[in-house]
Amino acid sequence: MKEKLEQIKAEATVQIQAADIPEKLNDVRVKFLGKKGELTAVLKGMKDVAPEDRPKIGQLVNDTRAAIEEMLEERKMKMERAIREQKMKEEVIDVTLPSRKNLMGHRHPNTIAQEEVERIFVGMGYEVVEGPEVEYDEYNFEKLNIPADHPAKDEQDTFYINKEIVLRTQTSPVQARVMEQGKLPIRIISPGRVFRSDEVDATHSPSFHQIEGLVIDKNISFADLKGTLEVFAKELFGPDTKTKFRPHHFPFTEPSAEVDVSCFKCGGKGCRFCKGSGWIEILGCGMVHPHVLEMCGIDPKEYTGFAFGVGLERIALLKYEIDDMRLLYENDIRFLKQF
């Protein structure tokens, strides 16, 4: 038995020294010390050893195991040291080289424009409210005074999920939902993404953004609307900006108007930017239609209000003099890093 243990130790020594990678070293460990290893086989044969010799043989087995484990650990440490030294040679770092600059992200032009609009209206006491992008037809059309047979419903080029659910075509449904809650007075703006089945070109996209505003209170008049939008225009485009209201028609407001601002490039004299007119169209607005108030549970005899809506991309295009809306979505870093 003693000769057998010496033979196992000698074989293990040779194989440990021959191992050149950790995987082979592990194979040697399993071969000699594992559950089915050679030392384990010797221990299983102890039943054939005379009882008086078993303590001595057991001690020899333990000594052999300890010797093999010591050789394995020593070889493992040498191997890891050699691997680490080789890796350090291959991964040399020149600490004298200048460090790489971290590329810092920044806000998108749309985000900059939205935050500026929100800042202006929050400063006037408005609350920012958001709503679902997938909306019921009832809120997107019916409660905004656009029934099933209304021609405006066809003009919207709506994406329908089914007969009752649509991708919202404006953020006006948020206004209807807030009015339904009955917490008066109301002074909100509702920014968000909207969807229309438009072809992609320099001024259109099937997905874009709007910011709409709503005020409901007692004794609200068109004069309040004009004053609010005049302050907004001056804050956004400069203190010398003038506003002009042109009669228009929207189903959910009466009376309604389109709003132009004096060209901030030429001061209203006429240039290429304003196409020689001296004015730039920016938004639509009007007094909330009494029928809309009724459908949302508000008494139009006691309360009045106004609403307005502006395209976020429209503001970004004007403010930063961008001539193609597609540039905002192409994610060209050469374009975006200018802002």
Side-chain angles (χ1 to χ4, degrees):
M1 185 66 73
K2 183 178 179 180
E3 291 78 8
K4 175 65 174 176
L5 290 171
E6 289 178 352
Q7 183 182 354
I8 290 174
K9 182 178 177 181
E11 289 180 4
T13 303
V14 172
Q15 293 187 28
I16 289 170
Q17 295 301 322
D20 55 354
I21 58 175
E23 288 77 8
K24 290 184 179 179
L25 201 63
N26 189 60
D27 292 341
V28 175
R29 180 186 298 276
V30 172
K31 180 179 179 181
F32 291 98
L33 305 180
K35 291 182 178 180
K36 297 181 180 179
E38 296 191 19
L39 273 181
T40 305
V42 172
L43 287 173
K44 289 179 179 179
M46 290 283 285
K47 63 180 183 295
D48 299 327
V49 177
E52 61 273 14
D53 294 332
R54 287 177 185 174
K56 185 177 180 181
I57 299 299
Q59 184 62 43
L60 288 174
V61 171
N62 289 336
D63 291 345
T64 303
R65 175 182 291 276
I68 293 175
E69 286 179 343
E70 184 179 351
M71 287 188 291
L72 284 168
E73 188 63 26
E74 184 179 351
R75 182 60 178 163
K76 178 184 176 183
M77 293 177 62
K78 290 182 179 179
M79 194 178 294
E80 288 177 347
R81 192 181 303 115
I83 292 172
R84 185 167 57 251
E85 290 175 356
Q86 182 63 30
K87 192 173 183 180
M88 291 177 68
K89 290 178 181 178
E90 294 174 354
E91 298 179 1
V92 175
I93 299 175
D94 187 349
V95 295
T96 65
L97 289 173
S99 62
R100 294 179 181 177
K101 290 184 178 180
N102 290 328
L103 294 177
M104 298 293 292
H106 57 84
R107 296 174 300 166
H108 190 276
N110 273 356
T111 304
I112 298 173
Q114 178 176 330
E115 290 179 354
E116 186 165 1
V117 173
E118 289 179 355
R119 176 188 61 79
I120 294 170
F121 281 104
V122 168
M124 289 193 283
Y126 285 65
E127 180 183 358
V128 180
V129 181
E130 297 182 349
E133 295 177 358
V134 181
E135 186 58 275
Y136 288 107
D137 180 278
E138 177 186 5
Y139 288 98
N140 198 73
F141 292 117
E142 298 287 340
K143 287 186 177 293
L144 300 177
N145 204 30
I146 307 177
D149 57 350
H150 199 288
K153 204 165 185 179
D154 296 328
E155 294 171 3
Q156 297 277 5
D157 295 325
T158 311
F159 288 106
Y160 278 88
I161 307 300
N162 56 41
K163 290 183 179 181
E164 297 180 355
I165 300 176
V166 301
L167 298 184
R168 66 181 181 185
T169 57
Q170 62 264 326
T171 57
S172 303
V174 179
Q175 300 178 12
R177 289 179 175 274
V178 172
M179 283 190 284
E180 268 192 347
Q181 295 174 7
K183 297 178 181 178
L184 299 170
I186 297 170
R187 189 175 281 104
I188 65 163
I189 59 170
S190 52
R193 184 165 55 174
V194 299
F195 308 87
R196 295 185 188 177
S197 184
D198 287 330
E199 295 291 335
V200 177
D201 59 29
T203 57
H204 295 85
S205 171
S207 175
F208 56 101
H209 298 78
Q210 280 190 344
I211 299 179
E212 300 198 15
L214 174 70
V215 171
I216 303 291
D217 204 346
K218 295 179 179 180
N219 303 316
I220 296 294
S221 69
F222 204 94
D224 297 308
L225 170 60
K226 292 184 70 174
T228 298
L229 295 182
E230 184 175 346
V231 171
F232 166 63
K234 289 180 182 295
E235 286 286 331
L236 189 63
F237 298 113
D240 297 327
T241 304
K242 298 178 181 179
T243 55
K244 180 174 69 174
F245 289 72
R246 292 180 287 106
H248 197 72
H249 169 72
F250 298 111
F252 33 85
T253 54
E254 180 62 38
S256 305
E258 291 276 12
V259 180
D260 299 339
V261 296
S262 56
C263 180
F264 46 85
K265 290 291 290 182
C266 65
K269 297 177 181 178
C271 65
R272 181 190 64 82
F273 194 69
C274 61
K275 299 179 181 178
S277 69
W279 296 93
I280 300 172
E281 179 186 327
I282 60 164
L283 58 82
C285 65
M287 300 300 293
V288 178
H289 198 292
H291 191 209
V292 173
L293 294 174
E294 287 178 345
M295 287 189 292
C296 294
I298 297 174
D299 185 357
K301 294 180 180 179
E302 186 177 1
Y303 288 93
T304 55
F306 63 77
F308 56 87
V310 58
L312 184 61
E313 284 80 1
R314 176 75 171 158
I315 292 177
L317 293 177
L318 290 173
K319 195 165 181 63
Y320 302 115
E321 300 182 33
I322 303 168
D323 56 8
D324 194 326
M325 183 169 146
R326 289 170 290 193
L327 291 169
L328 295 173
Y329 302 112
E330 291 175 349
N331 295 324
D332 189 331
I333 191 66
R334 295 170 299 177
F335 169 76
L336 294 177
K337 69 180 181 182
Q338 300 176 67
F339 302 94

